Amino acid sequence: MLSYEELLLKIAFLEKEAKFNNFFLKKLFDIIPSPMFYKDKHGVYQHCNDTFSKLILGISKEEIIGKTLYDLSDVIPIENADIYSEKDKELFLTAKEQYYEGKVKCADGKTRDYHFYKSSFVMDKEILGLVGLMLDVSEYKKALEELDEKNKLLNELVITDSLTGVYNRRYFQDILEKKVSFLARFNHQFCFAMIDIDFFKDFNDSFGHQKGDFVLEEIGRVLRETFQRPTDYIFRIGGEEFAILFDVIDFNDARLIVEDLRKKVEDLRIEASPSSNYKYLTISTGLGNIKKLQIDTNPSIVYHEVDKLLYKSKKRERNIVTIEDIII
């Protein structure tokens, strides 16, 4: 058994050790650059570091310690206090760890993205409170968003024809397959137009490839201006061939749109090749109203049916639109 003097020495040592540990933990709190805080089981702040007090709330630690979320209504909006309080209660009732993400409007007026890492503080199987750390992930999220934008741009480049700015043949095959499948399964009709620039090879031979590229760019521009809805898809599927997949409620609208497109191209007043019957450059078009397909219809069959319509336009006087319903 310890003597009275030894007991006093033991108590003094333990008090000194506790004081040291308390000082050490507070010092550790203060040198950590991320916001940290400790609350007792009643939700009262017992300690926080300078980053939490100055960056997050914009007040001194002395103004925070001894207060609850609701005592700090000048710096913590009541709606935020309600959210944090509910999450804190989970840690006071059951010893566990907690992680969530949230946006925080800081004392400097900037809104930052934070990951919250919180844990019940337990001693001798009793929950005494919680400790929390906030990790600023704003730059990380910004980098992710920039990376996502770059990936979207890269994906767009992969499926886009660089000269005309419309989609390429590879993407055409993907979208046509989806359209055919959707119609076969759910009876969702769509329109399919194929366009060919009349006498384009002769045009290139007569005026040069640079002028030919200009024509392709202009056709691409007119197509993009004509078909602007999210459900409109424009493709360059060959040298001077384009395809359009689009939806209309009334097929007569499709007739009007495609006929208007034909006129717009002629109205560009680009001098036609010597082989043409027209003064200005023109296009021939095949327009299919894809009404009904068998469940196992191959997209290539649909493609060839519309290609036949384009061929009819080219075999006649060109600069016309040939239209048919397509049922397979």
Side-chain angles (χ1 to χ4, degrees), residues 81 109 143 157 211 306:
L157 289 173
K211 185 72 172 177
V306 179

Side-chain angles (χ1 to χ4, degrees), residues 5-140:
E5 291 77 9
E6 289 174 328
L7 186 59
L8 288 177
L9 288 171
K10 183 71 172 177
I11 291 172
F13 174 79
L14 292 174
E15 287 178 344
K16 185 176 181 181
E17 186 177 44
K19 185 177 180 180
F20 171 80
N21 287 339
N22 187 49
F23 174 79
F24 174 78
L25 287 174
K26 286 184 177 180
K27 197 68 177 175
L28 183 64
F29 254 60
D30 288 336
I31 64 172
I32 290 176
S34 295
M36 287 189 69
F37 53 87
Y38 167 67
K39 301 178 184 180
D40 66 20
K41 63 182 179 181
H42 302 294
V44 177
Y45 285 101
Q46 296 299 318
H47 192 64
C48 66
N49 63 2
D50 291 333
T51 310
F52 180 79
S53 64
K54 294 176 182 177
L55 177 64
I56 302 300
L57 299 185
I59 56 178
S60 67
K61 287 193 286 187
E62 290 72 25
E63 294 175 274
I64 297 171
I65 294 171
K67 307 284 181 61
T68 68
L69 291 163
Y70 296 102
D71 296 328
L72 299 168
S73 57
D74 289 343
V75 289
I76 302 177
I78 187 68
E79 59 271 19
N80 290 3
D82 288 339
I83 294 170
Y84 298 144
S85 179
E86 286 302 312
K87 291 185 177 296
D88 289 350
K89 285 176 184 177
E90 295 178 18
L91 298 176
F92 297 147
L93 293 173
T94 307
K96 63 179 182 178
E97 296 179 348
Q98 191 180 76
Y99 158 77
Y100 56 91
E101 184 179 320
K103 290 186 178 295
V104 177
K105 187 173 183 180
C106 301
D108 60 4
K110 294 181 179 178
T111 298
R112 295 179 172 87
D113 293 288
Y114 280 96
H115 284 179
F116 288 76
Y117 298 90
K118 293 158 68 176
S119 176
S120 307
F121 188 75
V122 182
M123 185 176 290
D124 296 329
K125 298 182 179 181
E126 181 184 356
I127 298 175
L128 302 180
L130 66 82
V131 62
L133 178 144
M134 299 166 62
L135 185 63
D136 185 353
V137 294
S138 303
E139 290 301 316
Y140 171 71

Side-chain angles (χ1 to χ4, degrees), residues 171-185:
Y171 195 52
F172 164 72
Q173 291 170 331
D174 290 342
I175 297 300
L176 179 60
E177 183 176 334
K178 289 176 182 177
K179 285 278 192 182
V180 167
S181 175
F182 205 63
L183 170 54
R185 293 177 181 276

Side-chain angles (χ1 to χ4, degrees), residues 238-300:
E240 68 272 26
E241 279 194 348
F242 294 83
I244 310 151
L245 299 173
F246 62 107
D247 299 333
V248 290
I249 296 174
D250 184 344
F251 185 61
N252 190 53
D253 292 336
R255 299 171 187 265
L256 296 174
I257 292 169
V258 174
E259 179 59 31
D260 182 57
L261 174 66
R262 185 196 64 76
K263 292 177 182 177
K264 283 180 179 178
V265 171
E266 194 168 13
D267 287 344
L268 290 173
R269 294 179 175 271
I270 298 171
E271 184 182 352
S273 76
S275 303
S276 177
N277 299 324
Y278 299 92
K279 182 177 180 181
Y280 300 116
L281 183 116
T282 59
I283 58 173
S284 295
T285 306
L287 173 61
N289 179 24
I290 318 301
K291 296 187 71 173
K292 189 174 182 180
L293 301 174
Q294 297 297 320
I295 196 73
D296 58 348
T297 300
N298 191 308
S300 64

Side-chain angles (χ1 to χ4, degrees), residues 192-199 241 258-259 262 276-278 282-288 304-324:
F192 181 178
M194 287 182 66
I195 295 166
D196 185 84
I197 303 174
D198 295 329
F199 300 106
E241 279 194 348
V258 174
E259 179 59 31
R262 185 196 64 76
S276 177
N277 299 324
Y278 299 92
T282 59
I283 58 173
S284 295
T285 306
L287 173 61
H304 288 301
E305 289 298 316
V306 179
D307 192 40
K308 290 177 186 176
L309 301 181
L310 174 60
Y311 182 75
K312 287 180 181 179
S313 292
K314 291 168 67 175
K315 288 297 287 183
R316 294 160 65 190
E317 69 248 43
R318 303 186 188 240
N319 192 27
I320 61 171
V321 182
T322 302
I323 302 169
E324 284 186 16

